[in-house]
């Protein structure tokens, strides 16, 4: 694996975020080549027009590059891109690296990592926090885990795609970190919605609560973003409630396996389950507010 | 009550915050006079040296001023300053106003408001969020309730002491808002501590979690301020845990009276009770982290 | 106070339970006389026809008897029977005893006990568990607290009214025991309703669950009595849900004062609050089942 | 499958309960023969001396009998007895039945049922509630599910082994019922332990609480059996706490899959997790009391 000269990099999965991330790699001029692939191949055209190469399969991308990044929609797509015919695994060999930046569970990540390693490749998991806008702006936060050497090698790429990256430990650590972060997020939103509900029930303006929270030590972008929607009881999905509830469930299971009691998260989880039972599973997770309303 | 000419204002209670607030009123030059009183009278000396007048009792302050502000340590002190011999009530009369900025419960505030009103005075409750530094900097957030006319009249004073004030409704509304805000704070800290505990138990660095939270949509000053102490399990009291637990209890009682279920806050409250049972009541409320440790 | 010869006893409050309890005292033949009073005096007629005496005020009952029992509807009625003009307090004097068997809170009981004691009388609180049928059958369970000597003296009367009595300590202990018992009851009913709900949701017959529970180590009269009503979602009030919720709230407050975390009861309390919010407060406490249904 | 003439029955698994159950089948005289097998074959000797036949493998038992009952220690043993070489599956054929009375999860039961059915056999799952003594006395409670015809056919055998059997639906229903029952049990024990803790903290004798509960509508064998151990904080394992916690977890997961909020069970589960974290996992589930003690 080269590190004195310019790396050749690949990118597999050109969804909303993947395309933006690949474009940032391309625009940086730091890499000898950027080779892309997408299941719908026409999605490669724009990047090719900007100077990227394209390849007919993930295996071809991996074969052509020192390091390949993946950004797939979900665990199923992440597994398919690796294990299907013409997948990453068919191209991997000693000296090559694969960095999966998809959000997947620890088991999926571990399975991919073991398969890559078994063929002599190096593997890093690198899920991100942040969505479309930070992806375009190269302002993602990257949680990295797995092969430390590969993690170090791709620092220039991470620096182009994100504002900060973290090395968290062996494969699986980044998936766990994402669960912990999302558990805090779920409980925090549950706490916020109870405050909004109690304000309303006790004759206070919710908008005043929002402003006051926004001026104090608890001020955070999430309350500011989600508060107005809650007031209108409109929840266009950014992060679907059913996914938030799934992450709470998985975090509770992790706590269970580690003998870590998590009573606040457990209570919040039941609130999300109530909201799901009310038919809000596909709405934004702020719809947990509905669980406070009878 | 004058509003075309300059108001004469009084200030009762020169603790850490009160002194800073009175000094800001004095320095503004907006008022014809600033008359101060404190239980330990020598605490008036510095402000007198800077141009304030002093008076021997709260009654004398009120008698001398258009509007008097109070900033007492707790409900008992707030009641004593009003109802004791030589208290606010002995000086109040038609045309005068009293603005109690102490943090007290709704019953205490209502009792003071009714007494002031019965003697022809006007009453505003105005608890603040923010502590010593914002008081000095005139950056408090002021939650106002009670007599709307008096609230409007003292806007210039609020503008000097705070960065923002809110009018929330009839007397009691500001006390309730403070409860709602502190309930959200208590649950949010409970959520954060569970995340810190799960990170640690699952082999992740707590410092990485702190950084990641600090870069995302949940980023807030409270996590940033309290996180390092939690990591060292040191909790020098800024807001004592037993007071946070009391506010959760009162918020739950408010929810109870209004038929508003609050399961996340109820679970958080039990965590604070556990921390109290562990002897952490006088430490900072971040010590609820100890409830997650066995 | 006589204990070698027969006692003269009084009974204040002839509601459904009080009348049955007084009749059992009368029928026993153990007492030299039984003198009764009720706010609606005509309620005394039946017992007078059976051999009781009646008196125009509680004070007259107390004046005429060695020991007087009270069985009033609620704390307000219990206080009125003691403190109103012509109340128990007006008749009490050294050597006389008052045994209040009403269900009241610890503060009410303590207030009555202190007043009786201040006039030289002896006081026992003796709330019961059991309702109409056990009252008629002399099968109540009596929780006693307060003056030990008086408690011993009235053993024959307790033996006639109840199947068992307990001496629990100083005044207030019986009120606390009743709270503890009702807290267990509230949580246990919450647990049962969740089981009934999960059975139904997972395609199992609720009637089968009832039968299976009834044949095992958890078998208890409450599940057997309340189960069929839950299946029909009909909750004629035996113990109103709002009272059960109030007792949970008071038990949680007791735990709070004693630093005793009670997370299961706290979760159950929120379920009862949800049921109240759904308009079920005046129905039987088994209506907490409704909180499990969306 | 014969039903006009006497059935020949087999029994696989002669542990403490299995041996007693097989003996009851033998003693009843209702069956043309009783053929037994155990992994340690010498465990068959006593029953053979009493008139049973023995066989060298489960496959031989099944081949020799109309219906074979299984009573294995856990899911692994249950699967081994069926799928291992010489297992139940090797002997099954059209017209034969297998009744698995082991306590296993729904997935295990379904897997066994599908394999038996695929070879033309009939399958019933029949987990029991009750332990050694009821097994000896033929007083088990049998939860049946699966093939209705086979369930009806074995009614005489169920009547000999148990005091009551229930047909609950398709394979899996009995496993779910057992989860629901154990969820109620776990929450109920959690509620009981909180009551015991609050009694103690508030200066009441726990023994008085036990007696009072034992005389009222909540009276049940479990409180009576477990109470004295809790008072001594001694928890010799009858049903290990870690198994109770696992069942709560599985019940919560079932509720999750069905959108059934279960906040009381969720809070109880966290208490069991706390007790596990305190090192009580292998003690009796009554050790959840330790989670209430700091």
């Amino acid at each position: 694996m080269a590190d004195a000269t310019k790396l050749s990099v690949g990118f597999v999965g050109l969804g909303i975020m993947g395309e933006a991330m690949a474009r940032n790699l391309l625009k940086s001029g730091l890499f000898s080549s950027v080779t892309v692939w997408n299941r719908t191949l026409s999605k490669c055209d724009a990047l090719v027009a900007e100077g990227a190469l394209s390849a007919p399969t993930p295996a071809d991308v991996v074969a052509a590059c020192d390091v390949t990044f993946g950004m797939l929609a979900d665990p199923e797509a992440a597994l398919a891109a690796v294990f299907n015919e013409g997948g990453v695994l068919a191209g991997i060999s000693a000296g090559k690296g694969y960095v999966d930046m998809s959000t997947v569970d620890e088991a999926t990540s571990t399975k991919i990592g073991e398969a890559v390693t078994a063929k002599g490749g190096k593997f890093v998991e690198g899920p991100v926090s942040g969505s479309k806008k930070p992806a375009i702006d190269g302002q993602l936060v990257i949680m990295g885990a797995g092969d430390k050497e590969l993690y170090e090698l791709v620092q220039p790429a991470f620096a182009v795609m994100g504002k900060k990256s973290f090395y968290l430990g062996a494969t699986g650590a980044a998936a766990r970190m994402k669960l912990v972060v999302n558990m805090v997020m779920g409980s925090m939103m549950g706490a916020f919605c109870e405050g909004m509900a109690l304000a309303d029930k006790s004759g206070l303006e919710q908008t005043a609560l929002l402003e006051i929270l926004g001026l104090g030590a608890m001020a955070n972008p999430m309350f500011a973003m989600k508060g107005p929607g809650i007031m209108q009881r409109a929840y266009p999905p950014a992060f679907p409630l059913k996914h938030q509830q799934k992450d709470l469930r998985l975090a509770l299971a992790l706590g269970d396996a580690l003998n870590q009691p998590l009573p606040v998260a457990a209570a919040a989880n039941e609130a999300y389950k109530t909201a799901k039972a009310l038919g809000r599973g596909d709405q934004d997770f702020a719809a947990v507010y509905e669980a406070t309303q009878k």
Side-chain angles (χ1 to χ4, degrees), chain A:
Chain A
M1 206 177 297
D3 63 0
T5 63
K6 279 183 168 187
L7 286 176
S8 56
V9 299
F11 209 100
V12 163
L14 303 176
I16 290 173
M17 294 185 68
E19 180 175 351
M21 293 157 77
R23 179 168 287 115
N24 282 331
L25 293 176
L26 187 63
K27 284 176 11 188
S28 73
L30 292 173
F31 308 101
S32 64
S33 62
V34 177
T35 308
V36 301
W37 172 88
N38 193 67
R39 204 167 47 138
T40 308
L41 288 170
S42 61
K43 290 274 296 181
C44 300
D45 296 350
L47 287 165
V48 168
E50 297 168 38
L53 306 174
S54 73
T57 68
D60 292 304
V61 175
V62 172
C65 300
D66 296 317
V67 177
T68 301
F69 298 88
M71 188 65 179
L72 292 310
D74 53 36
E76 291 63 41
L79 289 166
V82 172
F83 291 98
N84 277 7
E85 200 181 317
V88 166
L89 216 56
I92 207 85
S93 62
K96 289 183 181 296
Y98 182 57
V99 180
D100 191 349
M101 304 184 76
S102 320
T103 289
V104 301
D105 57 286
E106 188 168 354
T108 297
S109 195
T110 301
K111 187 175 175 187
I112 293 174
E114 287 173 352
V116 167
T117 309
K119 294 202 65 176
K122 290 178 184 294
F123 178 72
V124 158
E125 59 172 349
V128 303
S129 93
S131 51
K132 184 181 176 181
K133 180 95 174 31
I136 292 170
D137 298 343
Q139 293 290 307
L140 296 166
V141 175
I142 300 168
M143 292 166 261
D147 189 278
K148 186 73 186 287
E149 205 179 315
L150 176 56
Y151 175 83
E152 297 296 349
L153 183 70
V154 298
Q155 279 302 302
F158 281 174
V160 160
M161 295 186 283
K163 62 181 166 185
K164 181 97 182 178
S165 69
F166 297 86
Y167 181 76
L168 299 167
T171 301
R176 286 201 303 282
M177 181 61 88
K178 193 122 214 249
L179 267 194
V180 172
V181 168
N182 282 8
M183 179 185 82
V184 174
M185 183 164 74
S187 296
M188 195 165 143
M189 178 58 85
F192 176 55
C193 287
E194 287 188 357
M196 291 290 274
L198 185 56
D200 185 48
K201 268 278 178 68
S202 64
L204 300 166
E205 294 291 336
Q206 292 182 322
T207 184
L209 174 60
L210 278 186
E211 281 196 72
I212 291 167
L213 288 172
L215 291 164
M218 285 178 274
N220 66 85
M222 184 172 81
F223 288 1
M225 269 187 297
K226 302 297 185 184
I230 289 169
M231 288 178 58
Q232 296 165 34
R233 303 179 71 164
Y235 315 100
F239 182 46
L241 188 139
K242 66 186 176 189
H243 293 168
Q244 173 63 79
Q245 194 270 320
K246 183 198 66 187
D247 285 352
L248 275 167
R249 173 163 50 86
L250 293 174
L252 287 166
L254 180 59
D256 188 282
L258 298 166
N259 286 341
Q260 177 59 57
L262 302 163
V264 174
N269 184 42
E270 296 302 315
Y272 284 95
K273 283 165 65 178
T274 297
K276 263 177 69 190
L278 292 168
R280 306 288 179 161
D282 291 319
Q283 298 188 329
D284 191 62
F285 74 116
V288 70
Y289 180 73
E290 296 299 319
T292 68
Q293 304 297 308
K294 298 301 146 191

